[in-house]
């Protein structure tokens, strides 16, 4: 579609409030030769129960339905892997279903769980995601990932998904980045930031203290993308528990976790970028059509929307999500973000799609210092920090778990428990990881609202998951 | 000697000959740091899939005949009537009527130009293209979509005019039978097996 009806643009409305009460995750790594997937899922579930100060068995007694995010059956060589995990968690005979939307699988699984609670079908659901990406060598892993592209028209072209993504990056790089060295350094700064924040996260797969030059000197994968511009291929699991109001307050009454209001929305766009047709830019609440009428003059070649430079699915997920939660300007209304940094350049593209900056000016979100926990220019808190977990570049990309990990990270800030969860000496020791001497708390002080963006390759699926402290809603009837 | 699996269709049924899988023994995975205790096993598997192109078969057949086919919505009641699709779409994405197949070869030869590109140093397993691979996405006059393919010669640039070449010798009947070269390329410069 290139035009949308009024009914298609309707802002979704939940039938009743939905709350996130807890979440958990396993350690993330490139491989777990000594652990089955079910062990990682149980690690995540046990953590979720522990944050509520109740036993796993007690938490299970509240669960009514289960949603499982697991993208690539062929990676783990196990069809119906969801049934295996469901059984090992001891949750039979409850209803369960698997969700698969590529890189957005974690976010889509939350989307389904939210709707189950909102509809009244369930008062408490388990949302669990995982990925087993260590059962094949990396080149075969790249082959399997490329199977998410069109098998007749794209996959045979090198069987390398990065290449299909990178043509979009090239277009953005030349049109909006003007091929400037300064922009290339901005991209590298994102990788430095995300690998650097991962150093303070004991769950993270790739903590690294690196410089912009290190990124620029890393091997070229597909110019302008270097190896350190790209996300990880990880193994791990993450989960969260979503409830109606009564169950949420019952489950949290003896814990430090405050029930958080949650909304989730989704958008999609053509699996093949080739099929993208020109359309008008769908506007977010704080934008006007006038601000884009001369976009092609300011950035020659940039007049085509979404072209290869924007992610319509992200724009639509934000449009629906902001409408549901009452967000009118994400830079003003949100306090913390976790974005899907599959590549540094797609991170910048997403800043524009979700309205952190107008189209064409995404780089300013980094260059201004707004995206940092502490703004490097002012030494003051960043205006809207993103990916303090380390994101997909520094923390992990265990596909089915990624959107859930991001949501957990946002929740820990609003609970004011980031420091406790990430600084715990026992966790570092249990994971056989060394806590850095310069470990720093990345807790966003006073965080009330946050959002996680979950994104499938080349933008075919994107979800926006929004969390708010119920005492700081943007609108009362949301 | 075994024969790779081959398939033809008779009376609308698949008829198969040869070997569609090859048995390779599994082996144990042991922990060198802990007394070589058992951690798991390898699971080798070599399979051949049987895939139908359905309504797109004519596109893949035509590549080896030096034709680039596309489709067009000719439904007078569709808001997208006249829209040309390449990649080939069997049905219009707006009205879902069956599209008309058209020959886009001449338009491609006269108007194809690079919308974007990428030189990719890596590939996944089972890749058969020479590395680095130059991915290109191609615009055509009067066509709203942007075809993905690969450039066989030259350095890509935005707006660069390119022309299609087709693998007419030992075609693979896949999208790899279509490639592109810069406008002005001579016959004797083409990769082996390809023709204008």
């Amino acid at each position: 579609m290139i035009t949308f009806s009024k009914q298609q643009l309707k802002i979704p409305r939940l039938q009743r409030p939905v709350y996130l009460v807890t979440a958990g995750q396993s350690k993330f790594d490139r491989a777990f030769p000594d652990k089955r997937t079910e062990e990682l899922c149980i690690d995540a579930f046990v953590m979720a129960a522990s944050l509520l100060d109740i036993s796993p068995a007690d938490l299970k007694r509240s669960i009514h339905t289960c949603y499982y995010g697991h993208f690539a059956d062929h990676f783990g060589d196990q069809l119906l892997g969801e049934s295996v995990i469901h059984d090992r968690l001891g949750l039979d005979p409850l209803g369960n279903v698997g969700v698969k939307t590529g890189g957005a699988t974690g976010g889509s699984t939350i989307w389904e769980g939210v709707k189950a609670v909102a509809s009244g079908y369930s008062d408490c659901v388990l949302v669990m995601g995982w990925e087993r990406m260590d059962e094949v060598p990396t080149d075969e892993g790249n082959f399997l990932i490329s199977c998410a592209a069109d098998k007749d028209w794209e996959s045979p072209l090198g069987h390398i998904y990065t290449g299909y993504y990178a043509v979009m990056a090239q277009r953005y790089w030349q049109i909006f980045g003007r091929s400037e060295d300064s922009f290339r350094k901005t991209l590298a700064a994102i990788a430095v930031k995300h690998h650097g924040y991962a150093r303070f996260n004991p769950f993270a797969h790739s903590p690294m203290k690196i410089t912009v030059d290190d990124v620029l000197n890393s091997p070229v994968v597909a110019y302008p993308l270097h190896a350190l511009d790209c996300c990880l291929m990880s193994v791990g699991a993450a989960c969260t528990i979503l409830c109606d109001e009564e169950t949420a307050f019952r489950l949290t009454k003896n814990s430090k976790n405050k029930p958080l209001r949650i909304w989730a929305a989704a958008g999609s766009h053509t699996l093949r970028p080739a099929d993208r047709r020109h359309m008008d830019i769908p506007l977010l609440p704080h934008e006007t059509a006038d601000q884009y009428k001369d976009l092609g003059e300011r950035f020659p070649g940039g007049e085509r929307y979404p072209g290869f430079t924007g992610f319509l699915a992200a724009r639509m997920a934000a449009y629906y999500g902001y409408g549901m939660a009452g967000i009118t300007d994400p830079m003003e209304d949100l306090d913390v973000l976790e974005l899907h940094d599959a590549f540094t350049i797609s991170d910048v593209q997403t800043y524009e799609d979700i309205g952190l900056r107008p189209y064409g000016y995404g780089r300013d979100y980094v260059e201004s210092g707004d995206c940092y926990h502490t703004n490097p220019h002012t030494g003051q808190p960043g205006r809207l920090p993103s990916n303090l977990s380390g994101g997909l570049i520094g923390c992990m990309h265990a596909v089915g778990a990624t959107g859930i990990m991001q949501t957990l990270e946002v929740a820990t800030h609003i609970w004011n428990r980031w420091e406790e969860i990430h600084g715990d000496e026992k966790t570092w020791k249990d994971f056989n990881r060394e806590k850095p001497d310069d470990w720093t708390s990345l807790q966003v002080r006073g965080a009330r609202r946050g959002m996680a963006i979950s994104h499938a390759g080349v933008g075919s699926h994107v979800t926006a998951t929004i969390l708010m402290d119920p005492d700081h809603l943007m609108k009362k009837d949301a | 000697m075994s024969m790779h699996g081959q398939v033809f269709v008779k009376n609308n049924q698949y008829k198969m000959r040869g070997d569609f899988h090859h048995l390779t023994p599994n082996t144990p995975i042991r922990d060198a740091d802990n007394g070589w205790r058992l951690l798991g096993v390898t699971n080798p598997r070599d399979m051949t899939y049987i895939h139908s192109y359905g309504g797109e078969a004519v596109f893949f057949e035509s590549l080896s005949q030096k034709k680039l086919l596309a489709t067009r919505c000719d439904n007078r009641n569709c808001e997208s009537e006249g829209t040309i699709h390449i990649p080939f779409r069997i049905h219009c994405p707006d009205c879902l009527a069956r599209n008309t197949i058209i020959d886009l070869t001449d338009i491609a030869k006269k108007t194809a130009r690079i919308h974007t590109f990428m030189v990719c140093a890596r590939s996944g397993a089972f890749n058969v293209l020479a590395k680095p691979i130059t991915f290109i996405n191609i615009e055509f006059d009067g066509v709203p979509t942007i075809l993905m393919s690969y450039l066989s010669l030259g350095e890509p640039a935005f707006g660069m005019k390119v022309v299609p070449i087709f693998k007419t010798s030992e075609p693979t009947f896949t999208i790899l039978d279509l490639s592109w070269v810069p406008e002005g390329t001579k016959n004797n410069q083409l990769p082996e097996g390809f023709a204008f």
Side-chain angles (χ1 to χ4, degrees):
Chain A
M1 286 182 292
I2 53 175
T3 58
F4 313 108
S5 71
K6 190 176 172 186
Q7 247 183 328
Q8 289 163 340
L9 292 175
K10 168 186 169 283
I11 298 300
R13 183 170 176 77
L14 304 181
Q15 293 297 303
R16 61 176 179 168
V18 183
Y19 292 83
L20 179 150
V21 296
T22 190
Q25 61 190 6
S26 70
K27 176 184 177 181
F28 299 111
D29 216 333
R30 177 66 188 92
F32 284 94
D34 60 345
K35 283 205 171 193
R36 288 174 64 92
T37 307
E38 71 208 51
E39 295 175 81
L40 300 168
C41 290
I42 289 172
D43 286 348
F45 191 87
V46 168
M47 176 178 167
S50 73
L51 291 183
L52 289 173
D53 287 319
I54 62 176
S55 70
D58 281 342
L59 179 55
K60 281 169 55 178
R61 286 188 193 97
S62 290
I63 294 169
H64 179 260
T65 318
C66 303
Y67 292 85
Y68 295 122
H70 171 219
F71 171 48
D73 293 321
H74 51 354
F75 261 104
D77 196 19
Q78 171 69 65
L79 287 179
L80 275 182
E82 299 86 355
S83 296
V84 176
I85 299 303
H86 189 70
D87 167 61
R88 302 302 196 272
L89 287 167
L91 286 165
D92 290 319
L94 303 180
N96 71 86
V97 68
V99 177
K100 297 182 195 311
T101 58
T105 294
S108 298
T109 311
I110 292 174
W111 186 45
E112 289 304 308
V114 166
K115 289 185 289 184
V117 175
S119 70
Y121 185 91
S122 295
D123 293 337
C124 179
V125 304
L126 167 66
V127 173
M128 170 80 78
W130 66 88
E131 212 67 50
R132 189 88 219 188
M133 304 182 82
D134 60 347
E135 295 214 356
V136 292
T138 300
D139 66 336
E140 289 179 24
N142 279 323
F143 166 80
L144 293 177
I145 292 168
S146 80
C147 294
D150 186 298
K151 67 189 276 183
D152 293 326
W153 292 82
E154 295 173 324
S155 303
L157 296 163
H159 295 292
I160 181 82
Y161 210 92
T162 309
Y164 319 147
Y165 224 115
V167 291
M168 306 171 78
Q170 181 71 245
R171 185 82 188 170
Y172 187 92
W173 159 249
Q174 292 205 25
I175 301 288
F176 292 109
R178 299 186 173 110
S179 306
E180 292 171 358
D181 286 345
S182 59
F183 181 52
R184 188 46 278 224
K185 287 180 179 172
T186 299
L187 297 176
I190 295 169
V192 172
K193 165 179 170 264
H194 295 183
H195 281 292
Y197 286 155
R199 295 180 61 241
F200 307 138
N201 181 357
F203 300 91
H205 168 175
S206 184
M208 295 172 75
K209 193 171 188 174
I210 54 174
T211 65
V212 164
D213 284 341
D214 291 332
V215 179
L216 298 179
N217 291 327
S218 67
V220 173
V221 175
Y223 196 81
L225 299 175
H226 293 243
L228 288 172
D229 286 297
C230 304
C231 68
L232 303 163
M233 189 185 285
S234 313
V235 179
C239 72
T240 187
I241 302 287
L242 309 180
C243 305
D244 72 330
E245 189 164 296
E246 182 184 337
T247 311
F249 282 89
R250 175 173 59 78
L251 281 173
T252 56
K253 67 182 177 186
N254 294 320
S255 87
K256 297 180 202 170
N257 281 9
K258 185 175 186 176
L260 305 178
R261 286 288 300 277
I262 182 169
W263 298 264
S268 69
H269 202 201
T270 59
L271 178 68
R272 296 184 298 222
D275 293 310
R276 293 178 166 197
R277 291 181 283 168
H278 179 71
M279 63 183 71
D280 291 336
I281 298 176
L283 299 174
L284 296 177
H286 61 304
E287 294 179 328
T288 64
D290 278 354
Q291 75 185 86
Y292 292 125
K293 66 184 180 187
D294 63 346
L295 191 61
E297 292 166 32
R298 284 178 279 144
F299 298 97
E303 60 279 357
R304 183 175 177 138
Y305 181 84
F308 275 33
T309 54
F311 295 117
L312 174 66
R315 170 62 44 139
M316 295 309 294
Y319 165 82
Y320 290 126
Y322 293 171
M324 291 168 83
I327 292 168
T328 53
D329 182 342
M331 288 301 301
E332 296 297 326
D333 299 339
L334 298 173
D335 302 308
V336 61
L337 294 172
E338 285 284 334
L339 304 177
H340 190 98
D341 52 329
F343 302 97
T344 51
I345 202 162
S346 61
D347 208 42
V348 175
Q349 291 168 278
T350 301
Y351 306 155
E352 301 170 3
D353 296 317
I354 65 172
L356 306 184
R357 291 293 189 276
Y359 279 110
Y361 299 95
R363 61 191 286 182
D364 182 64
Y365 174 60
V366 178
E367 292 166 357
S368 66
D370 284 355
C371 69
Y372 290 88
H373 176 266
T374 302
N375 187 320
H377 308 305
T378 65
Q380 297 299 308
R383 190 174 164 206
L384 180 53
S386 65
N387 292 27
L388 300 177
S389 67
L392 282 70
I393 287 173
C395 179
M396 66 81 138
H397 191 22
V399 181
T402 303
I404 303 170
M405 174 281 287
Q406 295 172 310
T407 303
L408 177 155
E409 287 289 331
V410 170
T412 61
H413 289 284
I414 305 177
W415 287 328
N416 197 27
R417 297 188 74 176
W418 193 96
E419 185 171 331
E420 169 197 344
I421 292 167
H422 298 78
D424 182 11
E425 302 285 350
K426 184 175 182 305
T427 305
W428 287 92
K429 190 175 174 188
D430 287 349
F431 290 167
N432 197 26
R433 285 175 170 158
E434 191 172 341
K435 188 176 180 182
D437 291 338
D438 61 345
W439 186 88
T440 303
S441 173
L442 299 178
Q443 170 69 46
V444 175
R445 302 290 168 202
R448 303 154 300 167
R449 309 179 200 101
M451 179 169 72
I453 295 292
S454 192
H455 172 125
V458 300
S460 61
H461 300 262
V462 178
T463 65
T465 300
I466 298 166
L467 294 178
M468 289 190 194
D469 181 325
D471 294 327
H472 294 281
L473 300 182
M474 293 304 301
K475 62 178 183 181
K476 286 182 180 174
D477 61 344
Chain B
M1 186 177 160
S2 65
M3 184 179 83
H4 289 299
Q6 296 183 0
V7 182
F8 65 96
V9 173
K10 182 79 174 169
N11 297 327
N12 210 32
Q13 299 288 319
Y14 286 123
K15 305 291 180 187
M16 290 170 256
R17 298 169 59 196
D19 297 325
F20 281 78
H21 59 270
H22 305 273
L23 292 178
T24 307
N26 71 287
T27 55
I29 301 169
R30 294 190 174 278
D31 186 349
D33 297 324
N34 288 290
W36 297 97
R37 68 186 175 105
L38 183 70
L39 288 174
V41 293
T42 62
N43 282 322
R45 193 169 308 134
D46 178 0
M47 294 167 60
T48 300
Y49 282 82
I50 301 165
H51 172 52
S52 168
Y53 279 140
E56 293 182 0
V58 62
F59 172 85
F60 293 99
E61 181 94 278
S62 296
L63 294 178
S64 61
Q65 298 158 356
K66 301 194 279 190
K67 281 187 189 172
L68 181 64
L69 300 186
T71 61
R72 183 183 61 219
C73 177
D74 286 337
N75 178 3
R76 290 183 180 178
N77 297 318
C78 178
E79 62 186 21
S80 302
E81 183 195 5
T83 301
I84 295 172
H85 298 278
I86 178 76
F88 190 102
R89 273 181 181 265
I90 303 164
H91 296 272
C92 168
D94 293 327
C95 67
L96 303 185
R98 198 165 179 101
N99 280 335
T100 304
I101 296 171
I102 62 170
D103 188 339
L104 200 72
T105 317
D106 283 345
I107 290 175
K109 286 181 175 176
K110 289 173 186 163
T111 73
R113 59 200 174 274
I114 293 177
H115 178 74
T116 186
F117 64 90
M118 179 53 60
V119 180
C120 193
R122 298 185 183 182
S123 74
F126 310 111
N127 167 55
V128 295
L129 295 176
K131 289 184 279 188
I133 303 165
T134 304
F135 293 106
I136 57 171
N137 299 74
I138 307 145
E139 303 173 4
F140 309 95
D141 281 356
V143 178
T145 56
I146 301 170
L147 179 68
M148 182 175 220
S149 189
Y150 65 105
L151 186 71
S152 285
L153 295 171
E155 295 296 320
F158 285 8
M160 182 176 130
K161 299 260 302 199
V162 290
V163 292
I165 57 172
F166 304 92
K167 194 162 195 311
T168 52
S169 172
E170 298 184 0
T172 64
F173 303 103
T174 71
I175 197 66
L176 302 182
D177 289 348
L178 173 67
S179 183
W180 301 79
V181 292
E183 186 180 49
T185 300
K186 307 291 183 200
N187 241 326
N188 61 5
Q189 296 174 298
L190 296 188
E192 190 177 345
F194 279 83
F196 286 113

